[in-house]
């Protein structure tokens, strides 16, 4: 049996970052991957494909130019599945080859097959052809990610009724689309296809969605989507989906209404991909969604030499955070000190328009009893916004009234997921409103919105009293 220092199960963001980190520490590392090629959900069905489809849709539809040339403007008159698929294939090929090269350069070995525990340090790996190999390691990282939740009563067929895996495996532009679930994934696809002028109906059983995002930003988002004709059925449960005689699915809602569309995307949740692991053999259990509990500081499971990182441990389930978790797990496993991660990380929602957020929203600040002031900038108030023809987009900054410290940044509109990092740096470095007022920003840029929003708040804020200590947000969060 092959003996390794570290075995990583899964080659997504958490697994690959852990593997490379451990290899850089001079350890023997083996990555086991069930798919034919490395990269995980992130590269093959999740982050990269959805962002590539988004970019293709925005470019070919001429979306970013419509502020000037009107809503009928298009770069390509007829956009079909082949247009989406071609760019998707090229991007994925490039991503995979970069990853394979990274593994080769760092002497990380890869084994194709499905891993299953046979003991606390031992695994059996079954290849596509059914052959089995035994491997073992001092430390093991479970980074198997998640898979779409597929209830048995939903008639998935990969063409008219799809999940988020199928929608990218053979992309097509449907005549009309019903999206079930207003989570991040559902919203991204609903708005991408709506940007391609596909009539979209969004169905969500709850009255609200994206509850971690500032309400004012969500209200703005809902307004933008309704304004461009997207039907939103909030507070509507799905009773059943039937296939009509013409092959098109009919979604029946709890209140008796029906929606007939060419395609239904069922995007109501994901579950840990732990079923094949036979976790009892190593002394671990999972929750009702197949997720594994870990120590959030070290990513150790209840069995100390077995770590878990990425989506399989639950929130926040982002590629960005998964990479960090993998790196920390590998450092801890091999005795490298790891300082605690900064409290606030950005959340990017690549809908059209995009949304990004970091730190406290108004509701969080109120719950913590922090007195605050808000500054708002509309992108159309910036020269860059005029040049780009932007009619929507806003930035909202939240400052402590007492100390002027930046508490939260919330952005909707073009470039939100990039712009957020300025706010993230100021926030995690404990900066204040004065940073934005006193510093010069490139002109004309959308980043200038920081200055506009800060000045907006400053107009209503008293100066900081002498001797005021900045809030310790980290300590407050731990309370
Ligand atoms: C549609 C969509 C869009 C997304 N967009 C974003 C985004 O814009 N930004 C962002 O930060 N995040 C995004 N995410 C989330 C992101 O993809 C995940 O957070 C990330 O992929 C999780 O990484 P991971 O390391 O947990 O493993 P994953 O990427 O989930 O990969 C796990 C791998 O483990 C393998 N595996 C599973 N079981 C076994 C086994 N028994 N043996 C061997 N191999 C196994 C699987 O084949 C898979 O390749 C998106 C997700 C989806 C679905």
């Amino acid at each position: 049996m092959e003996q390794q220092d570290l075995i990583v199960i899964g080659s997504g963001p958490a697994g690959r970052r852990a593997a490379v980190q451990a290899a850089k520490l001079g350890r023997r590392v083996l990555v086991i991957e069930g798919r034919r090629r490395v990269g995980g959900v992130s590269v093959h069905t999740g982050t990269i494909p959805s962002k590539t489809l988004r970019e293709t849709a925005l470019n070919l539809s001429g979306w970013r130019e419509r502020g000037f040339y009107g809503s009928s403007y298009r770069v390509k008159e007829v956009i079909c599945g082949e247009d989406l698929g071609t760019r998707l294939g090229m991007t994925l090929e490039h991503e995979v080859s970069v990853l394979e090269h990274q593994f080769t350069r760092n002497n990380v070995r890869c084994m194709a097959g499905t891993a299953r525990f046979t003991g606390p340090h031992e695994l059996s790996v079954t290849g596509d052809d059914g052959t089995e190999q035994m491997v073992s390691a001092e430390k093991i990282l479970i980074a198997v990610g998640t898979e779409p939740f597929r209830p048995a009563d939903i008639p998935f067929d990969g063409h008219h009724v799809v999940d988020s895996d199928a929608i990218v495996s053979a992309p097509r532009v449907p005549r009309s689309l019903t999206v079930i679930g207003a989570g991040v994934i559902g919203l991204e696809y609903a708005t991408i296809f709506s940007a391609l002028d596909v009539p979209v109906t969004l169905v969500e059983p709850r009255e609200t969605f994206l509850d971690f995002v500032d309400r004012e930003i969500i209200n703005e988002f809902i307004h933008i989507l309704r304004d461009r004709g997207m039907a939103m059925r909030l507070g509507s449960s799905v009773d059943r989906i039937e296939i009509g005689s013409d092959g098109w699915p009919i979604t029946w809602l709890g209140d008796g209404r029906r929606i007939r569309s060419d395609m239904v995307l069922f995007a109501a949740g994901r579950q840990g991909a732990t079923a094949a692991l036979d976790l009892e053999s190593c002394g671990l259990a999972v929750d009702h969604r197949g997720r594994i509990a870990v120590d959030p500081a070290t990513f150790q499971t209840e069995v100390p030499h077995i770590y878990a990182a990425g989506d399989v441990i639950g929130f926040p389930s982002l590629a960005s955070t998964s990479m960090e978790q993998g790196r920390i797990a590998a450092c801890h496993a091999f005795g490298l000190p790891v300082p605690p991660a900064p409290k606030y990380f950005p959340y990017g929602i690549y809908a059209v328009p995009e949304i990004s957020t970091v730190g406290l929203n108004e509701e969080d600040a109120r719950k913590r009893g922090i007195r605050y002031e808000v500054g708002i900038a509309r992108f159309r108030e910036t020269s860059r916004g005029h040049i780009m023809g932007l009619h929507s987009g806003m930035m909202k900054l939240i400052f402590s009234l007492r100390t002027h410290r930046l508490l939260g940044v919330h952005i909707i509109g073009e470039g939100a997921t990039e712009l957020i990092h300025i706010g993230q740096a100021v926030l995690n470095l404990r900066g204040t409103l004065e940073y934005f007022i006193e510093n010069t920003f490139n002109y004309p840029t959308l980043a200038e919105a920081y200055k506009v929003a800060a000045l907006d708040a400053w107009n209503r804020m008293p100066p900081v009293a002498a001797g005021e200590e900045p809030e310790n947000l980290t300590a407050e969060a731990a309370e």
Side-chain angles (χ1 to χ4, degrees):
M1 188 188 305
E2 288 188 45
Q3 175 71 28
Q4 309 288 331
D5 295 326
L6 175 69
I7 288 180
V8 176
I9 313 172
S11 66
R16 76 178 192 240
R17 188 54 71 87
V20 170
Q21 177 64 69
K24 288 201 185 292
L25 295 173
R27 303 296 174 150
R28 277 169 61 98
V29 184
L30 175 69
V31 175
I32 305 168
E33 173 52 61
R35 287 174 200 264
R36 280 193 302 113
R37 301 190 75 184
V38 295
V41 166
S42 175
V43 168
H44 295 281
T45 54
T47 316
I48 304 299
S50 58
K51 262 80 271 179
T52 308
L53 279 193
R54 180 182 191 275
E55 201 60 25
T56 313
L58 295 188
N59 288 343
L60 294 185
S61 67
W63 182 260
R64 293 186 177 103
E65 299 302 315
R66 289 186 180 182
F68 275 114
Y69 304 120
S71 54
S72 58
Y73 176 77
R74 280 202 162 208
V75 168
K76 188 167 188 290
E77 202 49 49
V78 180
I79 301 166
C80 59
E82 202 186 331
D83 296 314
L84 304 180
T86 306
R87 184 152 167 172
L88 201 58
M90 288 164 75
T91 313
L92 300 196
E93 194 53 46
H94 187 68
E95 278 277 318
V96 171
S97 68
V98 167
L99 284 183
E100 285 172 347
H101 187 217
Q102 194 184 22
F103 280 167
T104 313
R105 270 196 335 262
N106 287 286
N107 280 324
V108 173
R109 271 194 56 212
C110 268
M111 186 180 276
T114 303
R116 167 175 68 82
F117 281 92
T118 54
H121 288 273
E122 297 82 31
L123 291 153
S124 145
V125 183
T126 311
D128 268 356
D129 58 359
T131 52
E132 219 178 327
Q133 289 185 68
M134 302 302 289
V135 289
S136 72
E138 181 198 342
K139 311 273 177 167
I140 297 173
L141 172 72
I142 303 171
V144 292
T146 53
E147 50 204 13
F149 173 54
R150 290 170 58 102
D153 58 347
I154 302 291
F156 292 104
D157 64 3
H159 188 73
H160 288 295
V161 184
V162 298
D163 60 19
S164 62
D165 283 0
I167 204 164
V168 290
S169 65
R172 70 182 183 98
V173 181
R175 300 271 293 279
S176 52
L177 174 68
T178 301
V179 174
I180 299 171
V184 174
I185 296 171
L187 285 168
E188 287 186 0
Y189 281 121
T191 56
I192 289 169
F193 281 100
S194 144
L196 287 173
D197 295 321
V198 173
V200 175
T201 306
L202 180 68
V203 181
E204 166 59 45
R206 297 182 323 123
E207 292 290 349
T208 60
F209 58 87
L210 299 185
D211 292 341
F212 58 95
V213 178
D214 191 274
R215 281 303 89 193
E216 202 172 351
I217 297 287
I218 293 298
N219 290 341
E220 182 85 4
F221 185 58
I222 291 175
H223 172 76
I224 293 170
L225 298 190
R226 288 218 157 109
D227 192 49
R228 75 176 196 238
M230 187 187 291
M232 300 182 86
R233 304 269 180 266
L234 302 181
S236 297
S237 58
V238 172
D239 184 57
R240 62 190 188 282
I241 298 174
E242 288 172 359
I243 304 298
S245 53
D246 55 359
W248 279 29
I250 299 163
T251 305
W252 288 89
L253 303 184
D255 60 11
R257 281 186 296 179
R258 64 198 278 280
I259 309 159
R260 183 176 165 275
S261 56
D262 179 2
M263 184 189 277
V264 172
L265 167 64
F266 187 86
R270 298 180 64 85
Q271 58 195 14
T274 42
L277 286 174
D278 202 357
L279 286 172
E280 301 88 67
S281 304
C282 66
L284 286 175
V286 292
D287 71 6
H288 68 288
R289 283 258 172 164
R291 292 170 300 209
I292 300 172
V294 293
D295 174 339
T298 64
F299 298 99
Q300 283 170 294
T301 64
E302 281 175 0
V303 180
H305 73 271
I306 303 180
Y307 292 73
D311 283 13
V312 74
I313 66 169
F315 184 83
S317 296
L318 290 169
S320 51
T321 47
S322 298
M323 289 185 222
E324 264 312 281
Q325 293 168 1
R327 185 184 70 82
I328 293 170
C331 288
H332 185 269
F334 298 111
L336 211 71
V338 258
K343 172 80 190 144
Y344 294 107
F345 58 85
Y347 218 109
I349 299 155
Y350 292 83
V352 183
E354 60 194 75
I355 296 174
S356 201
T357 175
V358 66
L360 307 188
N361 58 39
E362 278 198 70
E363 206 182 356
D364 297 331
R366 276 199 294 271
K367 272 193 205 142
R368 289 164 191 231
I370 300 176
R371 291 189 308 126
Y372 63 89
E373 188 50 85
V374 168
I376 289 193
R378 301 249 161 214
F379 286 178
R380 61 170 182 263
E381 293 172 281
T382 65
S383 300
R384 183 75 197 177
H386 303 154
I387 295 167
M388 293 169 78
L390 299 181
H391 295 302
S392 64
M394 71 178 256
M395 176 182 291
K396 173 171 175 177
L397 303 181
I398 301 180
F399 296 102
S400 156
L401 208 53
R402 190 170 62 81
T403 64
H404 287 195
R405 187 168 164 199
L406 178 66
L407 304 175
V409 182
H410 311 279
I411 312 174
I412 179 168
E414 192 60 34
T417 52
E418 299 282 355
L419 287 169
I420 198 75
H421 297 107
I422 299 174
Q424 179 194 7
V426 176
L427 198 144
N428 279 331
L429 292 169
R430 303 164 67 82
T432 64
L433 174 136
E434 283 67 26
Y435 173 88
F436 301 107
I437 309 267
E438 290 161 12
N439 277 280
T440 302
F441 281 65
N442 272 338
Y443 175 85
T445 56
L446 289 181
E448 222 201 325
Y450 275 103
K451 204 179 241 307
V452 178
L455 284 166
D456 179 48
W458 182 79
N459 288 332
R460 291 183 294 276
M461 288 174 70
V464 182
E468 287 284 9
E469 284 295 318
E471 283 89 357
N472 183 346
L473 294 184
T474 311
E476 274 170 32
E479 275 168 16

